[in-house]
Amino acid sequence: MENKIILANSNVNSQWFSEKLTEYAAGFPCDKIKKILDLIAPEVRVPRAFEYYISGEGSFKYDAVELKPGEDGNVRMLHCGFATVNSSSRVVNAKCNMYGLTTIIEDDEEFLQEQAVEELKTTLLTQDLIRAVKLLDSLSGDSTSKVWKKGGTNNPISDVKSLIAGVGDKGRFNANKVLYGYSAWNMSSEYFGSDSPNYTLAPDALALPLGLDALAVSNDRAFMLSEESEENGGISQYIVPPNKVYALVSTNKLSRQDFSVMKRFVARPFTVFSREVSGGLEISVFTVALIAQTGQGAVKSYTISNS
Protein backbone atom coordinates (compact mmCIF):
# COMPACT_ATOMS: atom_id res chain seq x y z
CA MET A 1 0.00 0.00 0.00
CA GLU A 2 1.32 3.44 -0.93
CA ASN A 3 1.86 5.77 2.03
CA LYS A 4 -0.29 8.88 1.86
CA ILE A 5 -0.71 11.90 4.12
CA ILE A 6 -4.28 13.09 4.61
CA LEU A 7 -6.04 15.53 6.90
CA ALA A 8 -6.34 14.18 10.41
CA ASN A 9 -9.76 12.70 11.03
CA SER A 10 -12.08 14.29 13.55
CA ASN A 11 -12.73 10.92 15.21
CA VAL A 12 -9.28 10.86 16.83
CA ASN A 13 -9.84 10.56 20.55
CA SER A 14 -7.97 9.94 23.80
CA GLN A 15 -8.03 6.14 23.59
CA TRP A 16 -5.53 6.30 20.69
CA PHE A 17 -3.20 8.79 22.38
CA SER A 18 0.45 7.72 22.15
CA GLU A 19 2.53 9.12 24.99
CA LYS A 20 5.75 7.67 23.59
CA LEU A 21 5.32 9.14 20.11
CA THR A 22 4.11 12.45 21.54
CA GLU A 23 7.31 12.68 23.56
CA TYR A 24 9.24 11.86 20.40
CA ALA A 25 7.41 14.62 18.50
CA ALA A 26 8.23 17.12 21.25
CA GLY A 27 11.92 16.22 21.02
CA PHE A 28 12.19 16.23 17.23
CA PRO A 29 13.45 19.75 16.51
CA CYS A 30 12.70 20.53 12.82
CA ASP A 31 15.50 23.06 13.30
CA LYS A 32 15.63 24.60 9.85
CA ILE A 33 11.90 25.30 9.46
CA LYS A 34 11.40 26.23 13.11
CA LYS A 35 14.23 28.78 13.06
CA ILE A 36 12.57 30.84 10.32
CA LEU A 37 9.07 30.35 11.76
CA ASP A 38 10.18 31.52 15.22
CA LEU A 39 11.89 34.55 13.67
CA ILE A 40 8.69 35.66 11.93
CA ALA A 41 6.04 34.43 14.36
CA PRO A 42 7.45 33.62 17.82
CA GLU A 43 5.58 30.90 19.70
CA VAL A 44 3.48 31.97 22.69
CA ARG A 45 1.53 29.45 24.80
CA VAL A 46 -2.11 30.36 25.42
CA PRO A 47 -5.42 28.68 26.33
CA ARG A 48 -7.49 27.62 23.34
CA ALA A 49 -9.78 30.64 23.78
CA PHE A 50 -7.82 33.77 24.67
CA GLU A 51 -7.40 37.46 23.95
CA TYR A 52 -4.47 39.40 22.59
CA TYR A 53 -3.60 42.95 21.61
CA ILE A 54 -2.97 44.43 18.19
CA SER A 55 -0.71 47.41 18.76
CA GLY A 56 -1.38 50.43 16.57
CA GLU A 57 0.93 52.91 14.95
CA GLY A 58 2.21 55.45 17.49
CA SER A 59 0.89 53.07 20.11
CA PHE A 60 1.30 55.31 23.17
CA LYS A 61 0.46 58.98 23.48
CA TYR A 62 0.07 61.56 26.22
CA ASP A 63 -3.24 63.11 27.08
CA ALA A 64 -4.12 66.46 25.51
CA VAL A 65 -1.31 68.59 26.95
CA GLU A 66 0.04 71.43 24.85
CA LEU A 67 3.82 71.19 25.06
CA LYS A 68 6.06 74.14 24.33
CA PRO A 69 9.66 73.61 23.23
CA GLY A 70 11.72 72.41 26.19
CA GLU A 71 8.71 71.40 28.33
CA ASP A 72 8.19 67.88 29.63
CA GLY A 73 4.66 66.49 29.55
CA ASN A 74 5.07 64.25 32.61
CA VAL A 75 6.12 67.05 34.98
CA ARG A 76 3.37 68.05 37.45
CA MET A 77 3.10 70.35 40.44
CA LEU A 78 2.79 68.68 43.83
CA HIS A 79 -0.71 67.21 44.45
CA CYS A 80 -1.64 67.61 40.77
CA GLY A 81 -2.73 64.71 38.63
CA PHE A 82 -0.29 63.03 36.25
CA ALA A 83 -0.59 62.89 32.49
CA THR A 84 -2.53 59.86 31.23
CA VAL A 85 -1.00 57.42 28.81
CA ASN A 86 -3.55 56.07 26.36
CA SER A 87 -2.90 52.96 24.32
CA SER A 88 -4.24 52.57 20.81
CA SER A 89 -3.91 48.79 21.12
CA ARG A 90 -7.03 46.86 20.22
CA VAL A 91 -8.14 43.77 22.15
CA VAL A 92 -8.99 40.74 20.00
CA ASN A 93 -10.88 37.69 21.26
CA ALA A 94 -9.55 34.64 19.46
CA LYS A 95 -9.61 30.86 19.41
CA CYS A 96 -6.87 28.55 18.25
CA ASN A 97 -7.55 26.13 15.40
CA MET A 98 -6.78 22.42 15.29
CA TYR A 99 -4.33 21.43 12.55
CA GLY A 100 -3.52 17.80 11.91
CA LEU A 101 -2.36 15.21 9.40
CA THR A 102 -2.65 11.43 9.20
CA THR A 103 -0.56 8.78 7.49
CA ILE A 104 -0.81 4.99 7.36
CA ILE A 105 2.26 2.78 7.51
CA GLU A 106 2.24 -0.93 6.71
CA ASP A 107 4.74 -1.95 9.40
CA ASP A 108 4.53 -0.97 13.07
CA GLU A 109 8.29 -1.05 13.71
CA GLU A 110 9.33 1.71 16.08
CA PHE A 111 11.72 3.49 13.70
CA LEU A 112 9.00 3.64 11.00
CA GLN A 113 6.57 5.16 13.48
CA GLU A 114 9.17 7.78 14.41
CA GLN A 115 9.83 8.56 10.75
CA ALA A 116 6.09 9.04 10.21
CA VAL A 117 5.93 11.46 13.17
CA GLU A 118 8.92 13.39 11.81
CA GLU A 119 7.30 13.67 8.38
CA LEU A 120 3.94 14.82 9.72
CA LYS A 121 5.39 17.35 12.19
CA THR A 122 7.70 18.78 9.52
CA THR A 123 4.80 19.09 7.08
CA LEU A 124 2.61 20.86 9.65
CA LEU A 125 5.38 23.31 10.56
CA THR A 126 6.08 23.94 6.87
CA GLN A 127 2.41 24.78 6.35
CA ASP A 128 2.59 27.17 9.32
CA LEU A 129 5.66 28.81 7.80
CA ILE A 130 3.83 29.26 4.50
CA ARG A 131 0.93 30.93 6.36
CA ALA A 132 3.30 33.17 8.32
CA VAL A 133 5.25 34.28 5.23
CA LYS A 134 2.06 35.09 3.30
CA LEU A 135 0.83 37.19 6.22
CA LEU A 136 4.23 38.87 6.61
CA ASP A 137 4.35 39.74 2.92
CA SER A 138 0.84 41.22 2.96
CA LEU A 139 1.55 43.28 6.11
CA SER A 140 4.80 44.67 4.69
CA GLY A 141 2.79 46.74 2.20
CA ASP A 142 4.32 48.17 -0.95
CA SER A 143 7.86 46.87 -1.30
CA THR A 144 10.64 49.28 -2.32
CA SER A 145 12.77 48.10 -5.25
CA LYS A 146 16.56 48.02 -4.86
CA VAL A 147 19.34 47.02 -7.26
CA TRP A 148 22.27 45.20 -5.66
CA LYS A 149 25.13 44.31 -7.96
CA LYS A 150 28.90 44.55 -7.97
CA GLY A 151 29.90 48.08 -8.88
CA GLY A 152 26.37 49.35 -8.25
CA THR A 153 25.46 52.54 -6.40
CA ASN A 154 23.27 50.92 -3.72
CA ASN A 155 25.17 49.47 -0.76
CA PRO A 156 23.18 46.49 0.61
CA ILE A 157 24.31 47.07 4.21
CA SER A 158 23.32 50.75 4.11
CA ASP A 159 20.01 49.86 2.48
CA VAL A 160 19.19 47.31 5.18
CA LYS A 161 20.07 49.81 7.91
CA SER A 162 17.57 52.21 6.34
CA LEU A 163 14.98 49.45 6.19
CA ILE A 164 15.49 48.68 9.89
CA ALA A 165 15.05 52.34 10.83
CA GLY A 166 12.08 52.67 8.48
CA VAL A 167 10.12 50.21 10.60
CA GLY A 168 10.66 52.54 13.56
CA ASP A 169 9.37 55.44 11.48
CA LYS A 170 6.12 53.54 10.90
CA GLY A 171 5.72 52.22 14.44
CA ARG A 172 7.43 52.62 17.80
CA PHE A 173 10.65 50.61 17.54
CA ASN A 174 13.26 49.89 14.90
CA ALA A 175 13.15 46.36 13.52
CA ASN A 176 15.02 43.83 15.65
CA LYS A 177 15.08 41.02 13.07
CA VAL A 178 15.80 40.75 9.35
CA LEU A 179 14.92 37.93 6.96
CA TYR A 180 16.56 37.53 3.54
CA GLY A 181 15.25 35.48 0.68
CA TYR A 182 17.88 33.22 -0.88
CA SER A 183 18.52 35.28 -4.04
CA ALA A 184 18.55 38.60 -2.16
CA TRP A 185 21.28 37.30 0.15
CA ASN A 186 23.34 36.11 -2.82
CA MET A 187 23.01 39.47 -4.57
CA SER A 188 24.08 41.22 -1.36
CA SER A 189 27.18 39.03 -1.18
CA GLU A 190 28.03 39.55 -4.85
CA TYR A 191 27.96 43.33 -4.38
CA PHE A 192 30.98 43.16 -2.10
CA GLY A 193 32.92 40.63 -4.16
CA SER A 194 34.94 37.64 -2.99
CA ASP A 195 37.82 39.87 -1.79
CA SER A 196 35.61 41.54 0.85
CA PRO A 197 35.16 40.14 4.38
CA ASN A 198 31.44 40.85 4.05
CA TYR A 199 31.26 38.29 1.21
CA THR A 200 31.81 35.35 3.53
CA LEU A 201 30.19 36.84 6.63
CA ALA A 202 27.59 34.47 8.05
CA PRO A 203 24.08 35.85 8.62
CA ASP A 204 24.32 35.36 12.39
CA ALA A 205 27.61 37.32 12.47
CA LEU A 206 26.03 40.23 10.59
CA ALA A 207 23.19 40.61 13.11
CA LEU A 208 25.32 42.16 15.88
CA PRO A 209 26.82 45.10 13.91
CA LEU A 210 23.35 45.87 12.57
CA GLY A 211 21.94 45.99 16.13
CA LEU A 212 19.62 43.03 15.52
CA ASP A 213 18.51 40.16 17.71
CA ALA A 214 18.53 37.84 14.69
CA LEU A 215 19.24 37.79 10.96
CA ALA A 216 18.49 34.75 8.82
CA VAL A 217 18.46 33.58 5.23
CA SER A 218 15.77 31.18 4.03
CA ASN A 219 16.21 28.77 1.15
CA ASP A 220 13.42 26.45 2.31
CA ARG A 221 11.18 25.04 -0.40
CA ALA A 222 7.79 23.36 -0.49
CA PHE A 223 5.62 21.77 -3.14
CA MET A 224 2.85 24.25 -3.88
CA LEU A 225 -0.17 23.74 -6.10
CA SER A 226 -1.32 26.04 -8.84
CA GLU A 227 -3.80 25.65 -11.69
CA GLU A 228 -0.93 24.66 -13.96
CA SER A 229 0.76 22.27 -11.51
CA GLU A 230 -2.20 20.62 -9.76
CA GLU A 231 -2.23 17.58 -12.04
CA ASN A 232 1.41 16.67 -11.40
CA GLY A 233 1.33 17.25 -7.63
CA GLY A 234 2.68 20.77 -7.51
CA ILE A 235 6.06 22.38 -8.13
CA SER A 236 8.89 23.10 -5.72
CA GLN A 237 8.91 26.78 -4.77
CA TYR A 238 10.76 28.91 -2.23
CA ILE A 239 8.58 29.57 0.81
CA VAL A 240 10.15 32.99 1.45
CA PRO A 241 10.14 35.00 -1.80
CA PRO A 242 13.77 34.66 -2.91
CA ASN A 243 14.18 38.28 -4.01
CA LYS A 244 12.73 39.89 -0.85
CA VAL A 245 14.27 41.28 2.35
CA TYR A 246 12.04 41.87 5.37
CA ALA A 247 12.81 43.94 8.47
CA LEU A 248 10.39 43.33 11.33
CA VAL A 249 9.72 43.65 15.03
CA SER A 250 9.43 40.21 16.60
CA THR A 251 9.43 39.12 20.27
CA ASN A 252 7.72 36.39 22.27
CA LYS A 253 6.02 38.78 24.69
CA LEU A 254 2.25 38.97 25.03
CA SER A 255 1.18 42.43 26.19
CA ARG A 256 -0.16 45.69 24.82
CA GLN A 257 3.39 47.05 24.95
CA ASP A 258 4.58 44.43 22.49
CA PHE A 259 4.82 45.67 18.91
CA SER A 260 5.67 42.40 17.17
CA VAL A 261 4.19 42.02 13.71
CA MET A 262 2.71 38.59 14.49
CA LYS A 263 2.68 35.62 16.84
CA ARG A 264 2.15 31.87 16.62
CA PHE A 265 -0.22 31.19 19.50
CA VAL A 266 -0.13 27.56 20.65
CA ALA A 267 -2.80 26.05 22.90
CA ARG A 268 -1.66 22.45 22.51
CA PRO A 269 1.77 21.30 21.33
CA PHE A 270 2.18 18.51 18.80
CA THR A 271 0.27 15.44 19.95
CA VAL A 272 0.32 11.96 18.40
CA PHE A 273 -2.43 9.35 18.12
CA SER A 274 -1.99 5.88 16.67
CA ARG A 275 -4.32 2.96 16.05
CA GLU A 276 -4.39 -0.24 14.07
CA VAL A 277 -6.49 -0.12 10.94
CA SER A 278 -7.03 -2.37 7.97
CA GLY A 279 -3.75 -2.50 6.11
CA GLY A 280 -1.44 -1.09 8.76
CA LEU A 281 -0.98 1.45 11.54
CA GLU A 282 -2.63 4.87 11.32
CA ILE A 283 -0.63 7.70 12.86
CA SER A 284 -2.04 11.19 13.35
CA VAL A 285 -0.17 14.29 14.50
CA PHE A 286 -2.03 17.46 15.42
CA THR A 287 -1.56 20.76 17.17
CA VAL A 288 -3.91 23.53 18.30
CA ALA A 289 -2.53 26.89 17.21
CA LEU A 290 -3.18 30.22 15.51
CA ILE A 291 -0.95 32.61 13.56
CA ALA A 292 -2.19 36.18 13.86
CA GLN A 293 -1.12 39.78 13.38
CA THR A 294 -0.26 41.51 16.66
CA GLY A 295 1.21 44.82 15.48
CA GLN A 296 0.65 47.45 12.81
CA GLY A 297 3.52 49.13 11.03
CA ALA A 298 5.96 46.52 12.35
CA VAL A 299 7.40 45.26 9.04
CA LYS A 300 8.80 46.69 5.83
CA SER A 301 10.40 45.02 2.82
CA TYR A 302 12.66 45.49 -0.20
CA THR A 303 12.42 43.72 -3.54
CA ILE A 304 15.93 43.06 -4.82
CA SER A 305 17.25 42.69 -8.36
CA ASN A 306 20.69 42.92 -9.98
CA SER A 307 19.65 44.83 -13.08
Side-chain angles (χ1 to χ4, degrees):
M1 182 178 70
E2 181 184 359
N3 286 356
K4 291 185 178 181
I5 296 177
I6 59 175
L7 293 177
N9 296 322
S10 60
N11 61 355
V12 168
N13 60 48
S14 58
Q15 65 178 310
W16 302 316
F17 170 71
S18 173
E19 182 177 1
K20 187 174 183 179
L21 289 178
T22 297
E23 290 177 354
Y24 183 80
F28 180 67
C30 299
D31 286 336
K32 195 175 179 185
I33 294 291
K34 196 69 165 57
K35 178 181 179 180
I36 304 300
L37 181 59
D38 285 344
L39 186 147
I40 300 172
E43 180 178 321
V44 176
R45 293 295 179 91
V46 294
R48 182 162 190 185
F50 66 104
E51 64 179 32
Y52 67 93
Y53 296 94
I54 297 181
S55 298
E57 297 182 11
S59 295
F60 288 98
K61 54 190 178 183
Y62 288 115
D63 60 2
V65 176
E66 290 293 332
L67 295 182
K68 297 179 181 179
E71 289 188 352
D72 193 336
N74 59 12
V75 174
R76 289 293 189 271
M77 297 291 291
L78 190 62
H79 305 305
C80 291
F82 293 109
T84 301
V85 175
N86 297 312
S87 169
S88 61
S89 300
R90 176 167 57 91
V91 177
V92 177
N93 292 305
K95 188 175 183 180
C96 291
N97 300 315
M98 180 176 175
Y99 300 98
L101 294 170
T102 292
T103 190
I104 298 176
I105 58 176
E106 295 179 356
D107 199 320
D108 63 355
E109 289 189 39
E110 183 174 341
F111 82 95
L112 291 176
Q113 294 181 45
E114 291 176 349
Q115 285 182 354
V117 170
E118 292 174 10
E119 182 180 18
L120 295 177
K121 180 179 177 180
T122 300
T123 303
L124 287 168
L125 283 174
T126 299
Q127 291 173 343
D128 266 354
L129 180 57
I130 292 170
R131 293 186 189 98
V133 169
K134 286 183 177 179
L135 179 58
L136 183 75
D137 197 57
S138 67
L139 295 176
S140 67
D142 294 333
S143 185
T144 302
S145 297
K146 293 287 182 179
V147 176
W148 291 349
K149 63 180 181 179
K150 190 169 184 179
T153 57
N154 293 327
N155 183 311
I157 300 298
S158 297
D159 285 345
V160 170
K161 287 180 178 179
S162 296
L163 188 66
I164 292 167
V167 173
D169 294 338
K170 290 178 65 178
R172 182 174 171 87
F173 297 107
N174 285 0
N176 67 327
K177 296 180 182 178
V178 167
L179 175 63
Y180 283 78
Y182 182 66
S183 298
W185 177 256
N186 287 339
M187 285 184 275
S188 173
S189 299
E190 289 169 2
Y191 168 86
F192 295 103
S194 58
D195 56 343
S196 168
N198 289 308
Y199 184 80
T200 56
L201 196 60
D204 289 341
L206 188 57
L208 184 60
L210 289 176
L212 299 170
D213 293 333
L215 185 151
V217 180
S218 174
N219 62 355
D220 300 294
R221 289 175 174 263
F223 281 93
M224 301 188 191
L225 296 178
S226 65
E227 292 182 2
E228 295 78 14
S229 65
E230 190 168 0
E231 292 183 0
N232 60 19
I235 58 175
S236 177
Q237 297 182 6
Y238 287 107
I239 298 174
V240 176
N243 63 336
K244 297 291 283 286
V245 180
Y246 300 93
L248 60 145
V249 178
S250 172
T251 72
N252 59 0
K253 297 178 182 178
L254 185 59
S255 74
R256 69 177 186 175
Q257 298 186 52
D258 171 40
F259 301 91
S260 300
V261 63
M262 71 178 78
K263 292 283 193 298
R264 179 172 174 264
F265 298 107
V266 177
R268 182 166 183 168
F270 289 99
T271 304
V272 183
F273 291 84
S274 65
R275 62 170 179 166
E276 293 183 0
V277 295
S278 176
L281 184 70
E282 181 185 87
I283 295 178
S284 297
V285 177
F286 81 93
T287 184
V288 181
L290 177 71
I291 293 175
Q293 177 189 5
T294 54
Q296 298 181 34
V299 58
K300 293 187 70 175
S301 67
Y302 285 154
T303 300
I304 309 302
S305 68
N306 57 8
S307 60

